Coordinates of all heavy atoms in Angstrom, one line a residue:
L284 N 21.5 18.7 2.7 CA 22.5 18.9 1.6 C 21.9 19.8 0.6 O 20.7 19.9 0.4 CB 22.7 17.7 0.9 CG 23.5 16.5 1.8 CD1 23.9 15.3 1.0 CD2 24.8 17.2 2.4
D285 N 22.9 20.7 0.0 CA 22.4 21.6 -1.0 C 22.2 20.9 -2.3 O 23.0 20.0 -2.7 CB 23.4 22.7 -1.3 CG 23.3 23.6 0.0 OD1 22.3 23.8 0.6 OD2 24.5 24.3 0.3
G286 N 21.3 21.2 -3.1 CA 21.0 20.7 -4.3 C 20.1 21.5 -5.2 O 19.7 22.5 -4.8
P287 N 19.8 21.0 -6.4 CA 19.0 21.8 -7.3 C 17.5 21.7 -6.8 O 17.1 20.8 -6.2 CB 19.0 21.1 -8.6 CG 19.5 19.6 -8.3 CD 20.3 19.8 -7.0
G288 N 16.9 22.8 -7.0 CA 15.4 23.0 -6.6 C 15.3 23.4 -5.0 O 16.3 23.4 -4.3
S289 N 14.1 23.7 -4.7 CA 13.9 24.1 -3.3 C 13.9 22.9 -2.4 O 13.9 21.7 -2.9 CB 12.6 24.8 -3.2 OG 11.5 24.0 -3.5
T290 N 13.9 23.0 -1.2 CA 13.8 21.9 -0.2 C 12.5 21.1 -0.3 O 12.5 20.0 -0.3 CB 13.9 22.5 1.3 OG1 15.1 23.2 1.3 CG2 13.9 21.3 2.2
G291 N 11.5 21.9 -0.7 CA 10.2 21.2 -0.9 C 10.2 20.3 -2.1 O 9.6 19.1 -2.0
E292 N 10.8 20.7 -3.2 CA 10.9 20.0 -4.4 C 11.8 18.7 -4.2 O 11.4 17.6 -4.7 CB 11.5 20.8 -5.5 CG 10.6 21.8 -6.1 CD 11.3 22.7 -7.1 OE1 12.6 22.7 -7.2 OE2 10.6 23.5 -7.7
R293 N 12.8 18.9 -3.4 CA 13.7 17.8 -3.1 C 13.0 16.7 -2.2 O 13.1 15.5 -2.5 CB 15.0 18.3 -2.6 CG 15.8 19.1 -3.5 CD 17.3 19.2 -3.0 NE 17.4 19.7 -1.6 CZ 17.6 21.0 -1.2 NH1 17.5 22.0 -2.1 NH2 17.8 21.3 0.0
L294 N 12.3 17.3 -1.3 CA 11.5 16.3 -0.4 C 10.4 15.6 -1.2 O 10.2 14.4 -1.1 CB 10.8 17.1 0.6 CG 11.7 17.5 1.8 CD1 11.0 18.4 2.8 CD2 12.3 16.3 2.6
L295 N 9.7 16.2 -2.2 CA 8.7 15.6 -3.1 C 9.4 14.5 -3.9 O 8.9 13.4 -3.9 CB 8.1 16.6 -4.0 CG 7.1 16.1 -4.9 CD1 5.9 15.5 -4.2 CD2 6.6 17.2 -5.9
F296 N 10.5 14.9 -4.5 CA 11.2 13.9 -5.4 C 11.7 12.7 -4.4 O 11.7 11.6 -4.9 CB 12.3 14.5 -6.1 CG 11.7 14.9 -7.5 CD1 11.5 16.3 -7.7 CD2 11.6 14.1 -8.5 CE1 11.1 16.7 -8.9 CE2 11.1 14.4 -9.8 CZ 10.9 15.9 -10.0
A297 N 12.1 12.9 -3.2 CA 12.6 11.9 -2.4 C 11.5 10.8 -2.2 O 11.6 9.7 -2.2 CB 13.1 12.4 -1.1
A298 N 10.3 11.4 -1.9 CA 9.1 10.6 -1.7 C 8.6 9.8 -2.9 O 8.5 8.6 -2.9 CB 7.9 11.4 -1.1
L299 N 8.7 10.5 -4.0 CA 8.3 10.0 -5.3 C 9.3 8.8 -5.8 O 8.9 7.9 -6.5 CB 8.1 11.0 -6.3 CG 6.9 11.9 -6.2 CD1 6.9 13.0 -7.2 CD2 5.6 11.2 -6.2
F300 N 10.6 9.0 -5.5 CA 11.6 8.0 -5.9 C 11.4 6.8 -5.0 O 11.7 5.7 -5.5 CB 12.9 8.5 -5.8 CG 13.4 9.2 -7.1 CD1 13.4 10.6 -7.1 CD2 13.8 8.5 -8.1 CE1 13.9 11.3 -8.3 CE2 14.2 9.2 -9.3 CZ 14.3 10.5 -9.4
T301 N 11.2 6.9 -3.7 CA 11.2 5.7 -2.9 C 9.8 5.0 -2.7 O 9.9 3.8 -2.5 CB 11.7 6.2 -1.5 OG1 10.9 7.2 -0.9 CG2 13.1 6.6 -1.5
A302 N 8.8 5.7 -2.8 CA 7.5 5.1 -2.5 C 7.2 3.9 -3.5 O 6.7 2.8 -3.1 CB 6.4 6.1 -2.6
P303 N 7.5 4.0 -4.8 CA 7.2 2.9 -5.8 C 8.0 1.6 -5.4 O 7.6 0.6 -5.8 CB 7.6 3.4 -7.1 CG 7.6 4.9 -7.0 CD 7.9 5.2 -5.6
L304 N 9.0 1.7 -4.7 CA 9.9 0.5 -4.3 C 9.1 -0.4 -3.4 O 9.4 -1.7 -3.5 CB 11.1 1.0 -3.6 CG 12.2 1.7 -4.6 CD1 13.3 2.1 -3.7 CD2 12.6 0.9 -5.6
L305 N 8.0 0.0 -2.8 CA 7.2 -0.9 -2.1 C 6.5 -2.0 -3.0 O 6.3 -3.1 -2.5 CB 6.1 -0.1 -1.3 CG 6.4 0.5 0.0 CD1 5.2 1.3 0.6 CD2 6.8 -0.6 1.0
W306 N 6.2 -1.6 -4.2 CA 5.5 -2.5 -5.1 C 6.6 -3.2 -6.1 O 6.0 -3.6 -7.1 CB 4.4 -1.8 -5.8 CG 3.4 -1.4 -4.7 CD1 2.5 -2.2 -4.2 CD2 3.3 -0.1 -4.2 NE1 1.8 -1.5 -3.2 CE2 2.2 -0.1 -3.2 CE3 4.0 1.0 -4.3 CZ2 1.8 0.9 -2.5 CZ3 3.6 2.2 -3.5 CH2 2.5 2.1 -2.6
R307 N 7.8 -3.2 -5.8 CA 8.8 -3.7 -6.8 C 8.7 -5.2 -7.1 O 8.9 -5.7 -8.1 CB 10.2 -3.4 -6.3 CG 10.6 -4.1 -5.1 CD 12.0 -3.7 -4.7 NE 12.4 -4.2 -3.3 CZ 12.9 -5.4 -3.2 NH1 13.0 -6.2 -4.2 NH2 13.0 -5.9 -2.0
R308 N 8.1 -5.9 -6.1 CA 8.1 -7.4 -6.3 C 6.7 -7.7 -7.1 O 6.7 -8.6 -7.9 CB 7.9 -8.2 -5.0 CG 9.2 -8.1 -4.2 CD 9.0 -9.0 -3.0 NE 10.0 -8.7 -2.0 CZ 11.1 -9.6 -1.7 NH1 11.1 -10.7 -2.4 NH2 12.0 -9.3 -0.9
R309 N 5.7 -6.9 -6.9 CA 4.5 -7.2 -7.6 C 4.3 -6.7 -9.1 O 4.0 -7.4 -9.9 CB 3.3 -6.4 -6.8 CG 2.0 -6.8 -7.3 CD 1.5 -8.1 -6.7 NE 0.1 -8.2 -7.1 CZ -0.5 -9.4 -7.2 NH1 0.2 -10.5 -6.9 NH2 -1.8 -9.6 -7.4
W310 N 4.9 -5.5 -9.3 CA 4.9 -4.9 -10.6 C 6.3 -4.3 -10.8 O 6.5 -3.1 -10.9 CB 4.0 -3.8 -10.7 CG 2.5 -4.2 -10.5 CD1 1.9 -5.0 -11.3 CD2 1.6 -3.9 -9.3 NE1 0.5 -5.3 -10.8 CE2 0.4 -4.7 -9.6 CE3 1.8 -3.1 -8.2 CZ2 -0.6 -4.6 -8.7 CZ3 0.7 -3.1 -7.4 CH2 -0.5 -3.8 -7.6
P311 N 7.4 -5.1 -11.1 CA 8.6 -4.6 -11.2 C 8.9 -3.6 -12.4 O 9.6 -2.6 -12.4 CB 9.6 -5.9 -11.4 CG 8.6 -6.9 -11.7 CD 7.3 -6.6 -11.2

């Protein structure tokens, strides 16, 4: 999908937004 920023930036933010969810129970 088209969006703001380059594809690399969008991929980085995708990873940064989802990875912390692994620890949502321990450190919400």
Side-chain angles (χ1 to χ4, degrees):
L284 295 179
D285 289 332
S289 68
T290 302
E292 289 174 347
R293 292 194 312 267
L294 286 171
L295 177 65
F296 271 99
L299 291 176
F300 271 102
T301 56
L304 294 175
L305 276 174
W306 296 280
R307 66 185 171 83
R308 292 183 196 254
R309 185 81 175 157
W310 298 293

